[in-house]
Amino acid sequence: MAMAAKANTVLVILALAVAVAAARPAAAGAFRRVYAFGDSFTDTGNTRSTTGPYSFGYVSSPPYGATFFHRSTNRYSDGRLVVDFLAEELSLPSFLPPYLSSSSSGNSSSSNHDVVGVNFAVAGSTAIEHDFFARNNLSFDITPQSIMTQLAWFDAHLRRAKANKINVADALFWVGEIGANDYAYTVVARDTIPPKLVRDMAVQRVTTFVQNNWLDLGLTWMNNGTLMLDLGYKNVTLQGLLERGAKYLIVQGLPLTGCLPLAMTLARPEDRDNVSCVASVNRQSYAHNRRLLAGLHQLRQRHPGAVIAYADYYAAHLAVMRSPSKYGFAEPFRTCCGSGGGAYNFDLFATCGSPEVTTACAQPAKYVNWDGVHMTEAMYKVVAGMFFQGGDDYCRPAFSDLLAMKAKGKP
């Protein structure tokens, strides 16, 4: 009897395992290549200390990379990013090499051979082109590359890799969060460049990047010192990812930028929301994401032959901030690699990797934030789990559905 009961138990467990495996399409082998774009949340090495954004120009120094790589790989974290966990989820043979490095730090393949894809993301990158900031005297120490620069790099890469006969339609395109820098760079000019204008321009650039035409936003100075936005189509001068044959895309929204120690330190103490973060900044990110969602909805209607998923970073981040202990975090607000002590342990003039900050906290996995702006590997791992195993709560359509469609050669 005991033997029979034990055998039945084993059979039930095996049946459940088979059912679970059948319910979730295998990610391994679904995509052989991934092309990534974005800013420092996605950059795996295109930026170094000498080219990094102001106050975060020490990414090549320890303790960056200490948790996983045990050295700096020019990632703005102590280890892997969401895009790295994506590579692992897909069982790619290596992480994505950065475009500007033929043999990237922490990556084993060459971008010239395009074995697993390429990462074009750049720390400090903007959605709006650099010329806009220069014209408005906001170009001091701003990364000159925008998302359209990354698109030009992608074109150059495809030209060089033409002999490899890369099938763009068979690749996964990851458009990481981008736009937060646009708001940060214009915060000192809100009287003349309001957040709504930045939001309209930034989201338009992202959807143009994804789609197939370039909308030139004409900006005209008015007598009252404000800018008038002129939405007018001009001749197509840049072609987007869909025009280049991309069929499977995941576009990531902005996180709770008001929960970053940098924002918490600079904002007025009374400007707080129900998760104790900067209310005005989180409202800005929320509005940005709603506008982005509307743009993606339009793209889906215009391109029914493509799968365009939305990775809801805002919702994922919010879930963690509401119940940090549920996800293993004891420090939702304090910076792991920072200085100054206090509630946030963040000093804009003594940031991670600088001569003043050469060590990090003892347990990075207990911290949400790494250096005041960027997340710890532990947080990126949690967010990646939400995106890739969380059904359609945090990725819509669900990542598993995207894999199923890819397996069937649909939509």
Side-chain angles (χ1 to χ4, degrees), residues 37 46 99-100 118-122 145-160:
F37 307 84
N46 286 314
Y99 173 72
L100 296 180
V118 181
N119 191 331
F120 299 92
V122 182
Q145 293 90 0
S146 71
I147 197 168
M148 288 303 177
T149 306
Q150 297 175 36
L151 186 62
W153 287 351
F154 177 63
D155 282 342
H157 172 75
L158 288 183
R159 286 194 296 271
R160 285 197 300 269

PDB file of all heavy atoms in Angstrom, residues 37 46 99-100 118-122 145-160:
ATOM      1  N   PHE A  37      18.106  48.524 -26.973  1.00  0.00           N
ATOM      2  CA  PHE A  37      18.262  49.969 -27.067  1.00  0.00           C
ATOM      3  C   PHE A  37      17.800  50.570 -25.740  1.00  0.00           C
ATOM      4  O   PHE A  37      17.035  49.951 -25.001  1.00  0.00           O
ATOM      5  CB  PHE A  37      17.422  50.524 -28.220  1.00  0.00           C
ATOM      6  CG  PHE A  37      17.650  49.853 -29.541  1.00  0.00           C
ATOM      7  CD1 PHE A  37      16.979  48.674 -29.866  1.00  0.00           C
ATOM      8  CD2 PHE A  37      18.537  50.388 -30.458  1.00  0.00           C
ATOM      9  CE1 PHE A  37      17.199  48.037 -31.084  1.00  0.00           C
ATOM     10  CE2 PHE A  37      18.753  49.762 -31.687  1.00  0.00           C
ATOM     11  CZ  PHE A  37      18.091  48.583 -31.994  1.00  0.00           C
ATOM     12  N   ASN A  46      28.512  50.359 -23.322  1.00  0.00           N
ATOM     13  CA  ASN A  46      28.800  51.414 -24.293  1.00  0.00           C
ATOM     14  C   ASN A  46      29.302  52.690 -23.634  1.00  0.00           C
ATOM     15  O   ASN A  46      29.861  53.564 -24.296  1.00  0.00           O
ATOM     16  CB  ASN A  46      27.545  51.726 -25.126  1.00  0.00           C
ATOM     17  CG  ASN A  46      27.258  50.638 -26.146  1.00  0.00           C
ATOM     18  OD1 ASN A  46      28.150  50.184 -26.851  1.00  0.00           O
ATOM     19  ND2 ASN A  46      26.013  50.195 -26.207  1.00  0.00           N
ATOM     20  N   TYR A  99      27.658  47.696 -28.498  1.00  0.00           N
ATOM     21  CA  TYR A  99      28.003  48.050 -29.874  1.00  0.00           C
ATOM     22  C   TYR A  99      29.396  48.668 -29.988  1.00  0.00           C
ATOM     23  O   TYR A  99      30.124  48.397 -30.943  1.00  0.00           O
ATOM     24  CB  TYR A  99      26.962  49.025 -30.415  1.00  0.00           C
ATOM     25  CG  TYR A  99      27.295  49.599 -31.775  1.00  0.00           C
ATOM     26  CD1 TYR A  99      27.220  48.814 -32.923  1.00  0.00           C
ATOM     27  CD2 TYR A  99      27.673  50.941 -31.912  1.00  0.00           C
ATOM     28  CE1 TYR A  99      27.524  49.338 -34.170  1.00  0.00           C
ATOM     29  CE2 TYR A  99      27.972  51.473 -33.157  1.00  0.00           C
ATOM     30  CZ  TYR A  99      27.897  50.671 -34.281  1.00  0.00           C
ATOM     31  OH  TYR A  99      28.194  51.195 -35.506  1.00  0.00           O
ATOM     32  N   LEU A 100      29.772  49.500 -29.022  1.00  0.00           N
ATOM     33  CA  LEU A 100      31.037  50.225 -29.111  1.00  0.00           C
ATOM     34  C   LEU A 100      32.238  49.416 -28.655  1.00  0.00           C
ATOM     35  O   LEU A 100      33.339  49.932 -28.561  1.00  0.00           O
ATOM     36  CB  LEU A 100      30.950  51.524 -28.298  1.00  0.00           C
ATOM     37  CG  LEU A 100      29.928  52.547 -28.795  1.00  0.00           C
ATOM     38  CD1 LEU A 100      29.950  53.793 -27.907  1.00  0.00           C
ATOM     39  CD2 LEU A 100      30.185  52.922 -30.244  1.00  0.00           C
ATOM     40  N   VAL A 118      23.156  42.505 -30.358  1.00  0.00           N
ATOM     41  CA  VAL A 118      24.003  43.629 -29.975  1.00  0.00           C
ATOM     42  C   VAL A 118      23.205  44.562 -29.068  1.00  0.00           C
ATOM     43  O   VAL A 118      21.994  44.714 -29.234  1.00  0.00           O
ATOM     44  CB  VAL A 118      24.496  44.423 -31.216  1.00  0.00           C
ATOM     45  CG1 VAL A 118      25.399  45.582 -30.800  1.00  0.00           C
ATOM     46  CG2 VAL A 118      25.229  43.513 -32.186  1.00  0.00           C
ATOM     47  N   ASN A 119      23.899  45.183 -28.127  1.00  0.00           N
ATOM     48  CA  ASN A 119      23.279  46.168 -27.245  1.00  0.00           C
ATOM     49  C   ASN A 119      23.733  47.566 -27.668  1.00  0.00           C
ATOM     50  O   ASN A 119      24.921  47.884 -27.639  1.00  0.00           O
ATOM     51  CB  ASN A 119      23.675  45.898 -25.791  1.00  0.00           C
ATOM     52  CG  ASN A 119      22.854  46.705 -24.805  1.00  0.00           C
ATOM     53  OD1 ASN A 119      22.377  47.797 -25.106  1.00  0.00           O
ATOM     54  ND2 ASN A 119      22.692  46.170 -23.611  1.00  0.00           N
ATOM     55  N   PHE A 120      22.781  48.413 -28.049  1.00  0.00           N
ATOM     56  CA  PHE A 120      23.082  49.762 -28.515  1.00  0.00           C
ATOM     57  C   PHE A 120      22.789  50.829 -27.451  1.00  0.00           C
ATOM     58  O   PHE A 120      22.997  52.017 -27.696  1.00  0.00           O
ATOM     59  CB  PHE A 120      22.267  50.078 -29.772  1.00  0.00           C
ATOM     60  CG  PHE A 120      22.545  49.157 -30.928  1.00  0.00           C
ATOM     61  CD1 PHE A 120      21.784  48.009 -31.122  1.00  0.00           C
ATOM     62  CD2 PHE A 120      23.569  49.418 -31.818  1.00  0.00           C
ATOM     63  CE1 PHE A 120      22.035  47.146 -32.175  1.00  0.00           C
ATOM     64  CE2 PHE A 120      23.839  48.568 -32.878  1.00  0.00           C
ATOM     65  CZ  PHE A 120      23.069  47.423 -33.059  1.00  0.00           C
ATOM     66  N   ALA A 121      22.288  50.416 -26.283  1.00  0.00           N
ATOM     67  CA  ALA A 121      21.900  51.371 -25.236  1.00  0.00           C
ATOM     68  C   ALA A 121      23.101  52.147 -24.714  1.00  0.00           C
ATOM     69  O   ALA A 121      24.216  51.617 -24.621  1.00  0.00           O
ATOM     70  CB  ALA A 121      21.223  50.637 -24.084  1.00  0.00           C
ATOM     71  N   VAL A 122      22.859  53.415 -24.354  1.00  0.00           N
ATOM     72  CA  VAL A 122      23.910  54.294 -23.855  1.00  0.00           C
ATOM     73  C   VAL A 122      23.433  55.011 -22.599  1.00  0.00           C
ATOM     74  O   VAL A 122      22.347  55.596 -22.577  1.00  0.00           O
ATOM     75  CB  VAL A 122      24.300  55.363 -24.903  1.00  0.00           C
ATOM     76  CG1 VAL A 122      25.431  56.245 -24.383  1.00  0.00           C
ATOM     77  CG2 VAL A 122      24.704  54.713 -26.209  1.00  0.00           C
ATOM     78  N   GLN A 145      24.323  61.174 -27.415  1.00  0.00           N
ATOM     79  CA  GLN A 145      23.584  60.160 -28.163  1.00  0.00           C
ATOM     80  C   GLN A 145      22.115  60.114 -27.729  1.00  0.00           C
ATOM     81  O   GLN A 145      21.809  60.097 -26.546  1.00  0.00           O
ATOM     82  CB  GLN A 145      24.198  58.766 -27.956  1.00  0.00           C
ATOM     83  CG  GLN A 145      25.571  58.603 -28.551  1.00  0.00           C
ATOM     84  CD  GLN A 145      26.686  58.965 -27.579  1.00  0.00           C
ATOM     85  OE1 GLN A 145      26.427  59.349 -26.443  1.00  0.00           O
ATOM     86  NE2 GLN A 145      27.923  58.839 -28.025  1.00  0.00           N
ATOM     87  N   SER A 146      21.238  60.082 -28.718  1.00  0.00           N
ATOM     88  CA  SER A 146      19.814  59.891 -28.458  1.00  0.00           C
ATOM     89  C   SER A 146      19.419  58.508 -28.978  1.00  0.00           C
ATOM     90  O   SER A 146      20.246  57.772 -29.529  1.00  0.00           O
ATOM     91  CB  SER A 146      18.984  60.966 -29.161  1.00  0.00           C
ATOM     92  OG  SER A 146      18.997  60.748 -30.570  1.00  0.00           O
ATOM     93  N   ILE A 147      18.144  58.182 -28.841  1.00  0.00           N
ATOM     94  CA  ILE A 147      17.703  56.879 -29.339  1.00  0.00           C
ATOM     95  C   ILE A 147      17.824  56.800 -30.859  1.00  0.00           C
ATOM     96  O   ILE A 147      18.016  55.727 -31.433  1.00  0.00           O
ATOM     97  CB  ILE A 147      16.257  56.575 -28.865  1.00  0.00           C
ATOM     98  CG1 ILE A 147      15.972  55.084 -29.010  1.00  0.00           C
ATOM     99  CG2 ILE A 147      15.234  57.432 -29.611  1.00  0.00           C
ATOM    100  CD1 ILE A 147      14.710  54.631 -28.312  1.00  0.00           C
ATOM    101  N   MET A 148      17.744  57.956 -31.526  1.00  0.00           N
ATOM    102  CA  MET A 148      17.919  57.957 -32.981  1.00  0.00           C
ATOM    103  C   MET A 148      19.378  57.709 -33.366  1.00  0.00           C
ATOM    104  O   MET A 148      19.660  57.143 -34.420  1.00  0.00           O
ATOM    105  CB  MET A 148      17.412  59.271 -33.568  1.00  0.00           C
ATOM    106  CG  MET A 148      15.897  59.395 -33.540  1.00  0.00           C
ATOM    107  SD  MET A 148      15.083  58.024 -34.407  1.00  0.00           S
ATOM    108  CE  MET A 148      13.356  58.416 -34.108  1.00  0.00           C
ATOM    109  N   THR A 149      20.313  58.107 -32.498  1.00  0.00           N
ATOM    110  CA  THR A 149      21.726  57.755 -32.711  1.00  0.00           C
ATOM    111  C   THR A 149      21.866  56.235 -32.679  1.00  0.00           C
ATOM    112  O   THR A 149      22.581  55.640 -33.502  1.00  0.00           O
ATOM    113  CB  THR A 149      22.612  58.368 -31.621  1.00  0.00           C
ATOM    114  OG1 THR A 149      22.388  59.766 -31.534  1.00  0.00           O
ATOM    115  CG2 THR A 149      24.085  58.092 -31.896  1.00  0.00           C
ATOM    116  N   GLN A 150      21.181  55.618 -31.738  1.00  0.00           N
ATOM    117  CA  GLN A 150      21.242  54.166 -31.607  1.00  0.00           C
ATOM    118  C   GLN A 150      20.657  53.477 -32.835  1.00  0.00           C
ATOM    119  O   GLN A 150      21.148  52.427 -33.272  1.00  0.00           O
ATOM    120  CB  GLN A 150      20.511  53.731 -30.336  1.00  0.00           C
ATOM    121  CG  GLN A 150      21.151  54.259 -29.059  1.00  0.00           C
ATOM    122  CD  GLN A 150      20.353  53.939 -27.808  1.00  0.00           C
ATOM    123  OE1 GLN A 150      19.749  52.875 -27.699  1.00  0.00           O
ATOM    124  NE2 GLN A 150      20.337  54.861 -26.853  1.00  0.00           N
ATOM    125  N   LEU A 151      19.627  54.080 -33.406  1.00  0.00           N
ATOM    126  CA  LEU A 151      19.050  53.529 -34.633  1.00  0.00           C
ATOM    127  C   LEU A 151      20.054  53.623 -35.786  1.00  0.00           C
ATOM    128  O   LEU A 151      20.183  52.696 -36.595  1.00  0.00           O
ATOM    129  CB  LEU A 151      17.769  54.275 -34.996  1.00  0.00           C
ATOM    130  CG  LEU A 151      16.970  53.733 -36.184  1.00  0.00           C
ATOM    131  CD1 LEU A 151      16.485  52.311 -35.914  1.00  0.00           C
ATOM    132  CD2 LEU A 151      15.794  54.642 -36.503  1.00  0.00           C
ATOM    133  N   ALA A 152      20.793  54.722 -35.842  1.00  0.00           N
ATOM    134  CA  ALA A 152      21.826  54.879 -36.876  1.00  0.00           C
ATOM    135  C   ALA A 152      22.932  53.840 -36.675  1.00  0.00           C
ATOM    136  O   ALA A 152      23.466  53.283 -37.648  1.00  0.00           O
ATOM    137  CB  ALA A 152      22.410  56.293 -36.829  1.00  0.00           C
ATOM    138  N   TRP A 153      23.292  53.558 -35.416  1.00  0.00           N
ATOM    139  CA  TRP A 153      24.285  52.521 -35.130  1.00  0.00           C
ATOM    140  C   TRP A 153      23.776  51.160 -35.600  1.00  0.00           C
ATOM    141  O   TRP A 153      24.538  50.354 -36.145  1.00  0.00           O
ATOM    142  CB  TRP A 153      24.579  52.468 -33.636  1.00  0.00           C
ATOM    143  CG  TRP A 153      25.386  53.608 -33.107  1.00  0.00           C
ATOM    144  CD1 TRP A 153      26.023  54.573 -33.818  1.00  0.00           C
ATOM    145  CD2 TRP A 153      25.652  53.883 -31.727  1.00  0.00           C
ATOM    146  NE1 TRP A 153      26.678  55.442 -32.981  1.00  0.00           N
ATOM    147  CE2 TRP A 153      26.466  55.048 -31.690  1.00  0.00           C
ATOM    148  CE3 TRP A 153      25.285  53.289 -30.528  1.00  0.00           C
ATOM    149  CZ2 TRP A 153      26.916  55.603 -30.500  1.00  0.00           C
ATOM    150  CZ3 TRP A 153      25.728  53.833 -29.336  1.00  0.00           C
ATOM    151  CH2 TRP A 153      26.543  54.984 -29.323  1.00  0.00           C
ATOM    152  N   PHE A 154      22.497  50.919 -35.368  1.00  0.00           N
ATOM    153  CA  PHE A 154      21.901  49.650 -35.798  1.00  0.00           C
ATOM    154  C   PHE A 154      22.002  49.500 -37.306  1.00  0.00           C
ATOM    155  O   PHE A 154      22.350  48.430 -37.821  1.00  0.00           O
ATOM    156  CB  PHE A 154      20.442  49.588 -35.335  1.00  0.00           C
ATOM    157  CG  PHE A 154      19.705  48.357 -35.784  1.00  0.00           C
ATOM    158  CD1 PHE A 154      20.103  47.094 -35.368  1.00  0.00           C
ATOM    159  CD2 PHE A 154      18.606  48.456 -36.624  1.00  0.00           C
ATOM    160  CE1 PHE A 154      19.430  45.947 -35.778  1.00  0.00           C
ATOM    161  CE2 PHE A 154      17.916  47.324 -37.039  1.00  0.00           C
ATOM    162  CZ  PHE A 154      18.328  46.067 -36.612  1.00  0.00           C
ATOM    163  N   ASP A 155      21.734  50.578 -38.028  1.00  0.00           N
ATOM    164  CA  ASP A 155      21.861  50.551 -39.493  1.00  0.00           C
ATOM    165  C   ASP A 155      23.296  50.241 -39.909  1.00  0.00           C
ATOM    166  O   ASP A 155      23.540  49.432 -40.801  1.00  0.00           O
ATOM    167  CB  ASP A 155      21.438  51.895 -40.089  1.00  0.00           C
ATOM    168  CG  ASP A 155      19.923  52.054 -40.139  1.00  0.00           C
ATOM    169  OD1 ASP A 155      19.223  51.040 -40.043  1.00  0.00           O
ATOM    170  OD2 ASP A 155      19.455  53.197 -40.258  1.00  0.00           O
ATOM    171  N   ALA A 156      24.234  50.910 -39.245  1.00  0.00           N
ATOM    172  CA  ALA A 156      25.648  50.679 -39.574  1.00  0.00           C
ATOM    173  C   ALA A 156      26.037  49.236 -39.285  1.00  0.00           C
ATOM    174  O   ALA A 156      26.783  48.605 -40.054  1.00  0.00           O
ATOM    175  CB  ALA A 156      26.527  51.643 -38.779  1.00  0.00           C
ATOM    176  N   HIS A 157      25.523  48.708 -38.197  1.00  0.00           N
ATOM    177  CA  HIS A 157      25.809  47.321 -37.841  1.00  0.00           C
ATOM    178  C   HIS A 157      25.263  46.363 -38.894  1.00  0.00           C
ATOM    179  O   HIS A 157      25.941  45.415 -39.306  1.00  0.00           O
ATOM    180  CB  HIS A 157      25.208  46.997 -36.473  1.00  0.00           C
ATOM    181  CG  HIS A 157      25.287  45.544 -36.116  1.00  0.00           C
ATOM    182  ND1 HIS A 157      26.454  44.937 -35.722  1.00  0.00           N
ATOM    183  CD2 HIS A 157      24.346  44.562 -36.149  1.00  0.00           C
ATOM    184  CE1 HIS A 157      26.234  43.645 -35.506  1.00  0.00           C
ATOM    185  NE2 HIS A 157      24.961  43.401 -35.757  1.00  0.00           N
ATOM    186  N   LEU A 158      24.024  46.611 -39.336  1.00  0.00           N
ATOM    187  CA  LEU A 158      23.428  45.743 -40.351  1.00  0.00           C
ATOM    188  C   LEU A 158      24.213  45.787 -41.664  1.00  0.00           C
ATOM    189  O   LEU A 158      24.368  44.766 -42.331  1.00  0.00           O
ATOM    190  CB  LEU A 158      21.971  46.138 -40.603  1.00  0.00           C
ATOM    191  CG  LEU A 158      20.961  45.807 -39.500  1.00  0.00           C
ATOM    192  CD1 LEU A 158      19.565  46.192 -39.945  1.00  0.00           C
ATOM    193  CD2 LEU A 158      21.016  44.330 -39.121  1.00  0.00           C
ATOM    194  N   ARG A 159      24.721  46.962 -42.007  1.00  0.00           N
ATOM    195  CA  ARG A 159      25.518  47.064 -43.239  1.00  0.00           C
ATOM    196  C   ARG A 159      26.792  46.244 -43.128  1.00  0.00           C
ATOM    197  O   ARG A 159      27.174  45.550 -44.069  1.00  0.00           O
ATOM    198  CB  ARG A 159      25.852  48.533 -43.528  1.00  0.00           C
ATOM    199  CG  ARG A 159      24.673  49.352 -44.044  1.00  0.00           C
ATOM    200  CD  ARG A 159      25.125  50.678 -44.622  1.00  0.00           C
ATOM    201  NE  ARG A 159      25.743  51.542 -43.619  1.00  0.00           N
ATOM    202  CZ  ARG A 159      25.071  52.400 -42.864  1.00  0.00           C
ATOM    203  NH1 ARG A 159      23.756  52.500 -42.985  1.00  0.00           N
ATOM    204  NH2 ARG A 159      25.694  53.161 -41.993  1.00  0.00           N
ATOM    205  N   ARG A 160      27.434  46.320 -41.965  1.00  0.00           N
ATOM    206  CA  ARG A 160      28.672  45.561 -41.776  1.00  0.00           C
ATOM    207  C   ARG A 160      28.407  44.062 -41.701  1.00  0.00           C
ATOM    208  O   ARG A 160      29.250  43.260 -42.085  1.00  0.00           O
ATOM    209  CB  ARG A 160      29.383  46.023 -40.515  1.00  0.00           C
ATOM    210  CG  ARG A 160      30.079  47.362 -40.649  1.00  0.00           C
ATOM    211  CD  ARG A 160      31.096  47.553 -39.531  1.00  0.00           C
ATOM    212  NE  ARG A 160      30.455  47.510 -38.226  1.00  0.00           N
ATOM    213  CZ  ARG A 160      29.982  48.577 -37.589  1.00  0.00           C
ATOM    214  NH1 ARG A 160      30.056  49.768 -38.161  1.00  0.00           N
ATOM    215  NH2 ARG A 160      29.430  48.467 -36.402  1.00  0.00           N
TER     216      ARG A 160
END
